[in-house]
Amino acid sequence: MKIFMTGATGYIGSVITEKLLQAGHRVVGLARSDASAQALRELGAEPLRGSLGDTQLLTDAARAADGVVQNAFDLGADFATASAEEAKAVYTLITALQGSDKPLVYTSGTGGLGDTGSTVYDEETPVAPSESPTVRALQLRFETEKTVTGATGLRGVALRPPNVFGRGGGRSVLWLIGAAGQKLGAVPYPAEAGDNLWSLVHVDDLADLYVLAVEKAPGGELFHAASRSGLRTRDVAAAISRGAGLGGKTVALDRNELAEALGAPPLADYWSINSQISGEKARRVLGWEPRHLDVLDELGQPAN
């Protein structure tokens, strides 16, 4: 298939592009800069210069493709603004694809779930309203999910990845925590939440799931994308430390110290919760078979 993809050169997007090409598909990637366009060419994809806010460009590109992957999210903006801009782009793509029965795979995320506590959330677990402004902003994406999965005349699918690792980590949450560790000489974690539990997925396994979603996911479905759950915060921190060349050194910090070390109070809040999701539905329905299951060992390997 010819797949139009936004966010095709990012940390996750570049691996999705690679995997789609390996599966025999053609990828046309939205490129906001000359550098992004060149990166797409080097991957073997076709660049299309433009931005997520260019409604006519998105419409024409979606109609010219056999399917669409929406993977762009402006991490440089505040989450509420980025979520609103994303929702507009998704509405444009849905309008362009209606009546075509083509796939539209939308990238959401698990940040809006907030603190999952001891529960491993699946796709049916009710999501409680949050007092956190950051979580509330991210929960706006769940409305966009419903717009995608509820759209008629196309095959709308939403994916919720948890924290992603592998291939150097991009500028992911785990990478940011590791970068803070480099400055401190030890990776920080919340003193009161060292036994909290997390779910992770390797970027290659996640990209494999996107290919399955494009090729075979039923329309109207939401899939969580975790390969492993039940990973303790302090153990994840130690693995990040090993991968950052710090020999497994960690440091437990209180809330204010953690916010200062990470440089962002919202990131400190996030690193202080439980975040567990189940990827069982993707395995059952799509035949997803994650291979990178020794998460702490792989996370602890130095980046190439």
Side-chain angles (χ1 to χ4, degrees):
M1 292 188 286
K2 177 183 176 182
I3 304 299
F4 172 56
M5 183 172 169
T6 66
T9 59
Y11 169 47
I12 296 171
S14 61
V15 185
I16 299 171
T17 299
E18 176 187 309
K19 296 280 188 173
L20 284 168
L21 292 168
Q22 288 175 354
H25 303 296
R26 176 184 169 196
V27 176
V28 176
L30 187 66
R32 292 185 296 175
S33 67
D34 290 340
S36 292
Q38 181 59 31
L40 284 165
R41 292 188 191 97
E42 291 173 359
L43 285 169
E46 176 185 335
L48 177 65
R49 284 300 304 271
S51 69
L52 202 62
D54 191 332
T55 300
Q56 191 59 54
L57 182 75
L58 293 185
T59 299
D60 293 343
R63 288 177 175 167
D66 300 309
V68 176
V69 175
Q70 156 54 18
N71 189 55
F73 189 79
D74 186 2
L75 292 173
D78 66 89
F79 288 142
T81 299
S83 295
E85 291 177 348
E86 177 189 60
K88 291 177 184 177
V90 168
Y91 178 79
T92 298
L93 294 169
I94 289 172
T95 302
L97 293 175
Q98 278 185 321
S100 70
D101 292 324
K102 295 175 182 177
L104 169 59
V105 179
Y106 165 63
T107 303
S108 182
T110 60
L113 297 176
D115 194 329
T116 61
S118 60
T119 303
V120 180
Y121 277 41
D122 64 19
E123 294 80 358
E124 302 299 322
T125 306
V127 179
S130 174
E131 296 181 0
S132 164
T134 300
V135 174
R136 285 202 304 270
L138 290 172
Q139 287 180 344
L140 296 173
R141 306 187 81 194
F142 295 164
E143 295 304 314
T144 305
E145 288 177 1
K146 293 174 184 176
T147 302
V148 172
T149 58
T152 58
L154 63 133
R155 187 157 54 87
V157 181
L159 301 183
R160 280 183 192 163
N163 285 312
V164 184
F165 73 100
R167 297 204 188 194
R171 287 190 63 84
S172 64
V173 168
L174 301 183
W175 182 90
L176 291 170
I177 293 168
Q182 293 280 8
K183 296 177 182 178
L184 293 173
V187 170
Y189 69 89
E192 75 285 1
D195 290 324
N196 282 1
L197 300 174
W198 290 82
S199 295
L200 275 70
V201 66
H202 191 283
V203 66
D204 280 84
D205 289 330
L206 177 59
D208 288 337
L209 180 56
Y210 274 84
V211 176
L212 290 170
V214 166
E215 293 178 344
K216 62 188 289 188
E221 295 292 342
L222 165 68
F223 294 95
H224 284 176
S227 61
R228 280 289 309 276
S229 295
L231 300 164
R232 291 195 314 166
T233 301
R234 68 176 78 244
D235 295 335
V236 173
I240 294 171
S241 175
R242 293 193 297 275
L246 298 172
K249 293 179 181 178
T250 61
V251 58
L253 301 178
D254 66 27
R255 170 64 179 75
N256 291 334
E257 292 172 330
L258 187 63
E260 182 178 354
L262 296 176
L267 181 55
D269 291 341
Y270 180 65
W271 191 214
S272 301
I273 66 173
N274 296 276
S275 184
Q276 292 200 93
I277 66 170
S278 168
E280 178 56 32
K281 179 181 176 181
R283 290 173 167 87
R284 184 181 72 252
V285 175
L286 300 180
W288 184 43
E289 296 181 356
R291 294 167 295 168
H292 299 269
L293 299 178
D294 196 349
V295 173
L296 296 179
D297 181 64
E298 290 203 40
L299 189 58
Q301 298 298 318
N304 295 326

